[in-house]
Amino acid sequence: MKTKYKQLYEKFGLNVVYYRKRKRLTQLQLAELVDVDRSHISAIELGNVGVSFDVLFKLCEVLEITPKEIFDFRN
């Protein structure tokens, strides 16, 4: 990950946290539904890793949001 994009990764992660909590899911529950490890969800939420399109689309499906919503960063 390029450091110049770190802030965007963190904003994406904050959106994942927001929508996960809105669905009242733990990181473990979300991880199981998305079929990834809990530590991967944690890393996404902290903005430490990017996501593949497969994981992105599955996150949106599970969280019942559109890809546009997950990329709609708040200031």
Side-chain angles (χ1 to χ4, degrees):
M1 166 192 336
K2 293 187 178 185
T3 53
K4 73 178 189 174
Y5 298 126
K6 175 69 172 160
Q7 187 176 19
L8 294 174
Y9 280 76
E10 289 171 351
K11 288 182 179 186
F12 179 85
L14 288 174
N15 275 359
V16 173
V17 172
Y18 171 79
Y19 289 113
R20 174 177 62 78
K21 288 185 176 183
R22 192 174 82 168
K23 293 283 290 180
R24 292 187 162 93
L25 296 171
T26 65
Q27 286 184 343
L28 181 58
Q29 290 168 325
L30 180 58
E32 289 173 350
L33 292 168
V34 177
D35 197 28
V36 297
D37 193 78
R38 189 214 50 86
S39 63
H40 190 59
I41 294 295
S42 176
I44 292 168
E45 291 184 352
L46 293 171
N48 292 332
V49 297
V51 298
S52 68
F53 278 116
D54 290 345
V55 171
L56 172 70
F57 295 143
K58 187 67 178 182
L59 279 170
C60 290
E61 182 181 303
V62 168
L63 297 172
E64 298 178 337
I65 59 173
T66 64
K68 181 187 179 310
E69 288 173 294
I70 207 164
F71 283 107
D72 188 13
F73 302 145
R74 294 158 189 78
N75 291 325

